[in-house]
Amino acid sequence: MNTSAFIGYLRRLPSYQGQIAHIESIPAREPSYAELDRPLPPTLEARLRSSGQLPLYTHQAATVKAARQGGNVMVATSSASGKTLCYNLAVLEAILAERGSRALYIFPTKALAQDQLRGLRQLACPDMLGLDEILTFDGDTPAGERAEIKRKAKVLLTNPDMLHVGILPNHGSWSRLLRRLRYVVVDEAHIYRGIFGSHVAQVLRRLRRLCALYGSNPQFILCSATIANPGEHAQGLVGLPFEVVANDGSPHGGKDFVFWNPPIIEATEGKRRSANSEATTLFTELVRHDIRSLAFARSRRLTELIYIYSRDLLAEADPQRAGRIKPYRAGYLAEARRRTEQELFHGQLLGVVATTALELGVDIGDLEATVLTGYPGSIASAWQQAGRSGRGRQRSLSFLIGLDNPLDQYFMRHPEAFFHKTFEHALINPANPHILKPHLLCAAWELPLAHEDEELFGTGSGQARRELEEEGRLRCREATVRPEQGRKRWYPSPGIAYPAQEVNIRSISGKSYAVVDASRGHELLETVEPAVAFFQVHPGAIYLHQGESYLITRLDLSARIAYAAPTEATYYTQTKEITDLKVLRVLAAKEAGGVKVHLGEVEVTTTVIGFKRKLQFTEEVIGEEPLDLPPQCFPTVALWFDLPQAARQKLARAGLDFAGGLHAAEHATISMLPLFALCDRNDIGGVSTTAHADTGKAQVFIYDAHPGGIGIAEKGFELVAELWQATLRAIAGCPCHGGCPSCVQSPKCGNNNEPLDKMAAQVLLEGLVGL
């Protein structure tokens, strides 16, 4: 497409008010090829040649070479670079050489597994494998087909949830697979971070343990979007050393990447026009020009709204094009999603509005433009979404629309931090006892625990095992086989049955809250983990279920039931909370910026005190309500730092508010931490005080918002000087006068963003960075 012509057209529109903050012109890249040290099997090479997949790109050849040498491989290259072929070649070569060998493919979603199933069958069938030898196993697999899958599958495609709850606890019936398992493929490995990634790391350790039981020792091939720590992340997930392949040899057409900042509509408060309105405008203009496009929204509700507004705008001027756009999100029936994917792939649709459900590698063909409604939370995800356009050799266009928050606005003002910064670190913490202990119990159910398992599950597993024994959930027995060795075994207590069913690998909390539809005989809609229940299903909350809005009319705390009723409300709700923090133990301390910085174990107490009603499309606050809910306490990890004495003296001389500066610096620092760690703003919290009870000093605390922590605070402690510098740039660059949502205000603040002093925060941060 002619990207320059379309951008010029946008500049001439009456609605254009200087929204283009930056255009990064990314040049096209020619392919780089490499030869293998020895040829592929003739059948496989012939299939690649006939399908136009030869010669191999450098990273594809490097992966095959590393796999042939027996090592584990992490492939970390850009979106649409042909990573799938990397592992398919290694697997098919092994299966052709060792006819009884098996492979296990793990994908984060069922949709991606189904898409990869089609691609692998096209490559391998019927010359190398039969259709009934490449099969999926997930929650939708009919019970009547499962025995046949266990018997026939040579390549099994599944997801971590099914591996955890369906395969490992029933390993005896999967012995044919486990005994001959040659490769384990983990695709989209960057998705496995935080709580989910920490759980998956333990699931993979349990898999390795059972493979050893059946006499196999599979190689692992992981694929990931580009992240800062691919080798470290792969080793953390699997517990084995990895060779990293990152020399991307794939070609790309050039791209113009436009940073589009909604115009300011209220200068004093720094308020901007809604990013959702801007997304609607851009998407409809792209479709009107027959530019095949994909717009990403951050929620199911916004996906529907942007689609509806776009459809209505198009219907006024061009009804035919209005019928060639569709929404796409989780919650739709699988058949409807597949139909939309195929219509987009074959060009029947001009545009789709989607959630991140289309961020992963489902094949939807070559698109020309993408619209990102807000920074998706990580540079890796932003490139994944932007990379959905320009998968061929033609030039493409991407827009990133800035939301009204510090990190989005930081990128709008400092695009070099996006385009020229290394990617974020993917963080997991499989040693978190809240994650480790449930998986040890699952492992004991699968095969009694022994002392040797400490090497697999890590140094903390011995203590976790002892705690499970003290809690009466594990029982120790002397081995009856070869008792002369005196080896102990730990078994689940008799009252424990199928513990995997009790462990949700996408959360860390205990018993969930049930959300029921009170208008339909208390029909169960879904469950919500307790850690977020007070934030999502409090009385008065608007809760989204499969795209439909429900009003929470009552929350029964003892029964853990939230009663919901369908509603046509056009607003959403956002909680306000207050937090207290107690220091339990200092783990590390260092000097930075002339002050002491600490890392330690803390206990956090959070109380949800109320909520705001905000219009979906404009973000306008239309009401506030108080709430009376009990506090929630949990242990976690935090970093905290002192404030420079010279900066405090400067504040006093200037008559600025020290408490307001601390509070503002806390808000802004929390908002900027996701720049360095792959996490969401909701994964972290903070507290600021002029005199903390445990330290006797003025402090800013930033803590992991998950019980036990997942490594975010540790990364912040490590990079605290860079974090201060980025936060200072975010505050100093904001054009508002006294502080706004784009720099120091937080929508979650239980103190109504009071006191806040933007200038005082700037002075404190200048002191921390030595200015």
Side-chain angles (χ1 to χ4, degrees):
M1 68 174 291
N2 188 335
T3 57
S4 298
F6 184 76
I7 291 170
Y9 164 78
L10 292 177
R11 291 184 191 272
R12 295 189 296 272
L13 288 175
S15 59
Y16 182 74
Q17 295 177 250
Q19 287 99 319
I20 295 176
H22 176 77
I23 300 175
E24 187 80 6
S25 184
I26 300 164
R29 185 177 69 197
E30 292 301 311
S32 178
Y33 301 114
E35 293 289 331
L36 294 173
D37 48 0
R38 68 174 188 271
L40 291 164
T43 308
L44 181 53
E45 183 150 350
R47 179 58 62 91
L48 293 176
R49 198 169 301 283
S50 65
S51 59
Q53 297 183 77
L54 287 179
L56 298 179
Y57 300 137
T58 50
H59 63 283
Q60 293 171 335
T63 302
V64 174
K65 288 176 184 177
R68 284 174 170 177
Q69 292 167 6
N72 304 300
V73 190
M74 168 60 130
V75 186
T77 55
S78 61
S79 179
S81 58
K83 291 189 285 286
T84 299
L85 194 59
C86 291
Y87 54 77
N88 280 341
L89 289 181
V91 167
L92 291 174
E93 184 173 52
I95 287 176
L96 290 171
E98 309 161 29
R99 292 301 297 184
S101 60
R102 305 284 194 270
L104 178 66
Y105 285 20
I106 302 169
F107 300 97
T109 65
K110 291 186 287 188
L112 188 53
Q114 290 291 338
D115 186 69
Q116 293 297 325
L117 174 71
R118 290 189 290 271
L120 181 55
R121 282 178 168 174
Q122 287 171 4
L123 176 64
C125 301
D127 299 336
M128 290 170 270
L129 288 169
L131 289 172
D132 60 352
E133 292 179 314
I134 306 174
L135 299 165
T136 57
F137 183 74
D138 57 37
D140 295 336
T141 304
E145 297 177 10
R146 297 188 176 196
E148 192 78 353
I149 291 172
K150 294 173 185 177
R151 189 173 65 85
K152 288 190 171 182
K154 289 189 175 178
V155 181
L156 185 74
L157 291 75
T158 189
N159 55 63
D161 310 79
M162 206 62 186
L163 178 62
H164 157 65
V165 80
I167 297 176
L168 299 182
N170 302 294
H171 58 86
S173 63
W174 289 95
S175 59
R176 192 186 299 262
L177 171 74
L178 296 171
R179 187 171 287 115
R180 305 299 301 271
L181 194 58
R182 181 73 172 76
Y183 278 106
V184 177
V185 171
V186 182
D187 201 5
E188 306 288 354
H190 61 286
I191 296 294
Y192 303 121
R193 61 184 189 265
I195 295 301
F196 184 33
S198 302
H199 275 295
V200 169
Q202 292 296 355
V203 171
L204 293 175
R205 282 159 174 77
R206 285 163 50 202
L207 171 64
R208 287 177 52 210
R209 183 170 178 259
L210 292 177
C211 285
L213 173 69
Y214 288 97
S216 67
N217 183 26
Q219 289 175 248
F220 284 78
I221 299 179
L222 274 59
C223 290
S224 169
T226 308
I227 54 176
N229 58 333
E232 177 191 54
H233 185 51
Q235 184 163 344
L237 280 173
V238 181
L240 294 170
F242 274 76
E243 179 177 338
V244 175
V245 172
N247 55 330
D248 191 345
S250 63
H252 285 286
K255 180 185 287 287
D256 283 333
F257 205 138
V258 181
F259 277 19
W260 184 276
N261 208 11
I264 292 176
I265 57 176
E266 173 50 64
T268 306
E269 298 179 1
K271 187 176 180 181
R272 295 181 179 274
R273 195 156 70 201
S274 164
N276 306 315
S277 299
E278 299 292 309
T280 300
T281 299
L282 288 172
F283 182 65
T284 53
E285 290 296 345
L286 287 163
V287 171
R288 284 182 58 208
H289 285 76
D290 292 326
I291 299 170
R292 298 180 65 235
S293 305
L294 176 60
F296 284 101
R298 297 197 69 179
S299 71
R300 296 177 181 182
R301 182 66 174 169
L302 288 176
T303 297
E304 297 286 358
L305 287 172
I306 292 173
Y307 162 69
I308 290 167
Y309 283 116
S310 299
R311 181 196 63 194
D312 293 349
L313 279 173
L314 288 168
E316 293 176 7
D318 192 339
Q320 188 271 334
R321 284 189 177 87
R324 295 184 66 191
I325 64 171
K326 277 188 177 180
Y328 180 105
R329 56 169 175 75
Y332 287 159
L333 293 175
E335 295 81 5
R337 294 201 304 271
R338 299 297 88 76
R339 187 163 56 250
T340 299
E341 291 164 13
Q342 289 303 307
E343 289 173 352
L344 192 56
F345 183 90
H346 294 292
Q348 295 158 266
L349 292 177
L350 276 173
V352 167
V353 186
T355 59
T356 54
L358 264 183
E359 177 183 316
L360 301 179
V362 176
D363 190 357
I364 51 173
D366 294 333
L367 302 179
E368 297 170 282
T370 39
V371 178
L372 285 61
T373 313
Y375 178 63
S378 72
I379 293 174
S381 288
W383 280 110
Q384 283 280 103
Q385 292 183 9
R388 288 311 230 153
S389 61
R391 294 198 160 203
R393 305 292 288 272
Q394 302 301 312
R395 195 158 189 84
S396 64
L397 185 60
S398 290
F399 294 90
L400 172 62
I401 304 173
L403 299 181
D404 221 358
N405 65 50
L407 192 50
D408 282 48
Q409 291 304 312
Y410 178 80
F411 284 130
M412 292 296 120
R413 290 189 292 271
H414 302 285
E416 73 282 357
F418 180 91
F419 291 106
H420 306 300
K421 175 186 176 294
T422 57
F423 287 77
E424 307 97 333
H425 292 76
L427 303 175
I428 59 172
N429 181 18
N432 181 327
H434 298 270
I435 293 170
L436 174 59
K437 286 169 66 176
H439 283 283
L440 284 180
L441 197 58
C442 294
W445 169 269
E446 293 151 7
L447 176 70
L449 292 172
H451 281 294
E452 306 90 85
D453 291 320
E454 290 185 31
E455 185 177 347
L456 178 67
F457 290 107
T459 53
S461 61
Q463 175 63 30
R465 188 194 64 230
R466 287 188 288 273
E467 290 177 10
L468 287 168
E469 193 175 0
E470 291 168 4
E471 294 163 9
R473 292 193 282 170
L474 283 181
R475 289 189 177 183
C476 180
R477 300 181 200 164
E478 293 290 340
T480 56
V481 179
R482 296 182 181 175
E484 70 278 3
Q485 295 183 3
R487 295 173 67 188
K488 294 181 178 180
R489 295 287 185 272
W490 284 265
Y491 297 77
S493 297
I496 290 176
Y498 215 91
Q501 287 185 326
E502 305 300 319
V503 181
N504 179 354
I505 66 171
R506 295 174 189 261
S507 78
I508 200 171
S509 307
K511 183 183 176 185
S512 297
Y513 283 73
V515 184
V516 301
D517 186 346
S519 70
R520 301 181 63 180
H522 296 166
E523 175 188 330
L524 178 66
L525 297 175
E526 56 187 276
T527 58
V528 176
E529 58 180 287
V532 297
F534 289 180
F535 302 95
Q536 294 185 1
V537 292
H538 58 78
I542 297 296
Y543 189 76
L544 288 177
H545 171 71
Q546 295 189 353
E548 301 301 324
S549 294
Y550 290 82
L551 173 67
I552 303 298
T553 57
R554 183 164 68 93
L555 180 64
D556 186 329
L557 297 178
S558 57
R560 297 202 170 204
I561 298 175
Y563 295 89
T567 179
E568 297 296 323
T570 57
Y571 63 88
Y572 69 99
T573 49
Q574 191 170 60
T575 56
K576 300 191 304 178
E577 66 254 22
I578 55 173
T579 302
D580 194 16
L581 181 148
K582 180 181 180 181
V583 176
L584 301 178
R585 184 162 71 102
V586 175
L587 299 174
K590 67 178 184 180
E591 288 274 343
V595 301
K596 268 287 182 72
V597 184
H598 296 86
L599 178 75
E601 295 173 354
V602 299
E603 182 181 75
V604 172
T605 302
T606 299
T607 307
V608 177
I609 61 168
F611 67 94
K612 299 176 183 179
R613 296 188 186 91
K614 301 177 79 172
L615 289 177
Q616 278 281 7
F617 217 67
T618 65
E619 309 289 323
E620 179 187 349
V621 177
I622 57 172
E624 294 193 27
E625 294 286 342
L627 289 170
D628 183 18
L629 293 169
Q632 293 179 297
C633 298
F634 61 93
T636 188
V637 180
L639 71 97
W640 62 95
F641 51 86
D642 300 341
L643 284 308
Q645 188 60 35
R648 297 182 63 170
Q649 293 169 351
K650 188 174 180 180
L651 291 181
R653 290 194 298 271
L656 298 173
D657 181 7
F658 177 52
L662 268 181
H663 195 189
E666 173 220 325
H667 283 180
T669 307
I670 291 169
S671 297
M672 297 306 295
L673 185 50
L675 185 61
F676 303 94
L678 269 174
C679 65
D680 185 82
R681 169 64 181 80
N682 293 323
D683 290 329
I684 42 182
V687 172
S688 57
T689 174
T690 55
H692 192 269
D694 296 326
T695 67
K697 297 179 180 179
Q699 311 272 200
V700 172
F701 291 83
I702 302 173
Y703 62 85
D704 239 309
H706 299 283
I710 52 174
I712 300 171
E714 288 89 337
K715 183 55 63 177
F717 176 77
E718 177 190 334
L719 301 173
V720 70
E722 295 172 60
L723 177 60
W724 288 335
Q725 290 169 350
T727 307
L728 175 60
R729 293 179 77 190
I731 292 176
C734 186
C736 74
H737 301 304
C740 70
S742 293
C743 58
V744 298
Q745 291 180 5
S746 168
K748 298 172 64 178
C749 181
N751 295 309
N752 287 317
N753 287 298
E754 293 178 358
L756 284 182
D757 191 322
K758 176 185 174 181
M759 286 304 301
Q762 186 170 332
V763 170
L764 291 173
L765 287 160
E766 286 171 347
L768 288 168
V769 302
L771 294 180

